Amino acid sequence: MEIVPSTFLALVAAATLLWIGPFRGLWAFVGLAPFGAAAAFNLPALGGATIGQLEFTLCIVFFIAIARHGGPDRILGTLMPLQPGFFLLLLLIYCFISAVFFPRIFAGDTEIFGLSRAVNEDRIISIPLAPSSGNITQSFYFLLSSLVFLALATLYRLRPDEGAVFKALVICTSVNFALGMIDVVSAAAGLKTLMDPLRTANYAMAVFHEMAGIKRMVGGMPEASAFGSFSVVLFGFWLHYWTVSARSRLVTAMLLIALFCVLRSTSSGAYVALVLLLIYYSIAVLFRSAGGAFPRRVAFYLVTTIAVAWLAGIAMLVGYHMFDVVERFLNETLFSKLQSDSGVERMAWNAQAYKNFTDTWLMGAGLGSVRASNWFMACLGSLGVLGTALYLLFLASLFSAPARTGSKPRDNVIQALKVACLAQIIAAMLTAATPNLGTLFFIFAGLVVGLSRSRIVVRADNASQWLAHPRPAHGLRRRQVP
């Protein structure tokens, strides 16, 4: 195990969680998400694998969940049949089986763009399928993602606290914006090593690239596309929360700085994900409003979106034909992206992932074997039909989780978290190399399931009170289970 400068940050967050708990201290956990390039530890014995800030602290969160009175039994309650946790458990088991056996069963039967660092030390190359360190590390990362889902779904089912979630997202968004500004300003001032203590992960770092002469905002991530995709997820949360909640300057500020981070990342993947998210969200809002009331905030959102899109289109068209810098920027980020070396390479990864899917009799080459540039292709190439079906069942049960708990603020947070999860999936469909949607996605998914199922706990608790002390129905009070 290798200690790095950013290890101190992870230890402070872990100590905070142990001291004040995962409810008041959720901000100390989620607030680490923007430090995507910072390692808690590096593991040279596992091919230089990195344990990130979130991955390390989620172990603390899971320990707290299982160490509470009745913790193991309550975690098993999160795995009830036909619930999201049940489908995730089946998927996790299948992922382990695929990682252990499939690379051996189909060894040499297909060529892959592998994930192993030993193979891709100089550049990403095509090799025959065989067991590799990627099977171990990706299985480990998926296990950690599943554990944080179980922990948060259990904790927030027993003690729902939407206020803690809101506070955590405010801090996460603010930290992401602050790191982005420090990155850009320090590079402009010639202090390129200023953020080196926060860039300690064993990832390929692309932190000083420019787009049409503009320094790409990377923040605490290893590359601009990761920063842009992460910012799209935050934007998705604040977009819905701003639409449905009471007027708030803080929420408006969070929405605007998340949007700024997406635009400033100069990531084509983030731009496309943003547009797709806005299109889908606008259609969903119109569909829901067609059958009932049309709130003023929703009307303002739709009118503003249409007007901004129209003006942005005109500005892009004029700028493209009148200014060389605009033409170069739009060509590099959007219009010529698929014809670039990066675009061609990523399309080759997806094509090969599909070939891996067909070459392995639709079973997949095993988790951690295949590199793609599209989440769905990564699932097919790695997990095959059965694994992809289990993944889709998990997602379907997640998005169908009820957001009618009897508490409007809680319902708003649940819905906003679902939009953030959707934003992550949209971004992953454009750039994800593996089936794992990431730790942040499973944090949000766990919170969705926990907060939505709190309705069941509350009703059960009220029923037990009534049996012990019968009283008129209007005298019942809702209370939270500690």
Side-chain angles (χ1 to χ4, degrees), residues 4-22:
V4 293
S6 55
T7 300
F8 175 76
L9 181 63
L11 294 177
V12 170
T16 302
L17 286 167
L18 291 171
W19 180 257
I20 64 177

Side-chain angles (χ1 to χ4, degrees), residues 70-81 89 150 154 157 453:
D73 291 336
R74 288 169 172 171
I75 287 178
L76 288 177
T78 305
L79 300 173
M80 290 177 58
L89 176 62
L150 292 176
T154 302
R157 170 170 57 91
R453 291 191 66 197

Side-chain angles (χ1 to χ4, degrees), residues 147-176:
L147 291 181
V148 73
F149 170 87
L150 292 176
L152 291 177
T154 302
L155 291 170
Y156 279 79
R157 170 170 57 91
L158 300 172
R159 184 179 166 183
D161 188 352
E162 65 277 5
V165 178
F166 177 84
K167 179 181 179 181
L169 266 295
V170 169
I171 291 177
C172 180
T173 307
S174 302
V175 170
N176 186 57

Side-chain angles (χ1 to χ4, degrees), residues 1-273:
M1 182 180 295
E2 180 185 5
I3 306 297
V4 293
S6 55
T7 300
F8 175 76
L9 181 63
L11 294 177
V12 170
T16 302
L17 286 167
L18 291 171
W19 180 257
I20 64 177
F23 301 103
R24 287 191 300 152
L26 183 66
W27 60 268
F29 178 40
V30 178
L32 290 178
F35 295 92
F41 304 97
N42 288 322
L43 303 175
L46 289 179
T50 290
I51 302 298
Q53 302 283 317
L54 277 181
E55 287 76 18
F56 172 72
T57 48
L58 73 82
C59 296
I60 305 298
V61 175
F62 185 76
F63 169 78
I64 294 173
I66 204 169
R68 291 168 64 91
H69 178 67
D73 291 336
R74 288 169 172 171
I75 287 178
L76 288 177
T78 305
L79 300 173
M80 290 177 58
L82 304 184
Q83 293 292 328
F86 174 75
F87 293 117
L88 181 61
L89 176 62
L90 294 181
L91 175 61
L92 180 63
I93 293 172
Y94 185 84
C95 285
F96 282 153
I97 292 174
S98 72
V100 173
F101 294 106
F102 291 2
R104 291 169 172 81
I105 294 173
F106 300 108
D109 290 350
T110 186
E111 294 279 324
I112 61 168
F113 287 105
L115 293 164
S116 173
R117 288 185 176 85
V119 174
N120 300 321
E121 186 173 357
D122 296 324
R123 59 189 179 90
I124 298 173
I125 59 174
S126 176
I127 58 172
L129 175 63
S132 69
S133 62
N135 301 118
I136 300 173
T137 56
Q138 291 303 314
S139 298
F140 179 65
Y141 290 147
F142 201 88
L143 173 63
L144 291 179
S145 297
S146 302
L147 291 181
V148 73
F149 170 87
L150 292 176
L152 291 177
T154 302
L155 291 170
Y156 279 79
R157 170 170 57 91
L158 300 172
R159 184 179 166 183
D161 188 352
E162 65 277 5
V165 178
F166 177 84
K167 179 181 179 181
L169 266 295
V170 169
I171 291 177
C172 180
T173 307
S174 302
V175 170
N176 186 57
F177 173 71
L179 290 175
M181 294 304 298
I182 292 172
D183 169 52
V184 173
V185 173
S186 63
L191 303 174
K192 293 187 176 182
T193 60
L194 182 65
M195 296 189 66
D196 282 356
L198 300 178
R199 292 168 176 164
T200 53
N202 283 332
Y203 307 143
M205 300 284 178
V207 295
F208 298 119
H209 289 185
E210 294 184 352
M211 182 71 70
I214 302 173
K215 165 70 171 69
R216 307 184 73 182
M217 183 177 282
V218 175
M221 297 294 172
E223 59 180 358
S225 62
F227 178 80
S229 298
F230 179 79
S231 300
V232 168
V233 176
L234 297 179
F235 175 79
F237 177 88
W238 292 115
L239 172 64
H240 184 77
Y241 198 87
W242 178 86
T243 303
V244 299
S245 65
R247 183 174 300 175
S248 168
R249 292 182 179 178
L250 176 60
V251 174
T252 302
M254 293 298 104
L255 176 66
L256 292 177
I257 65 175
L259 177 60
F260 171 80
C261 289
V262 175
L263 298 178
R264 189 59 182 79
S265 70
T266 68
S267 167
S268 56
Y271 290 171
V272 175

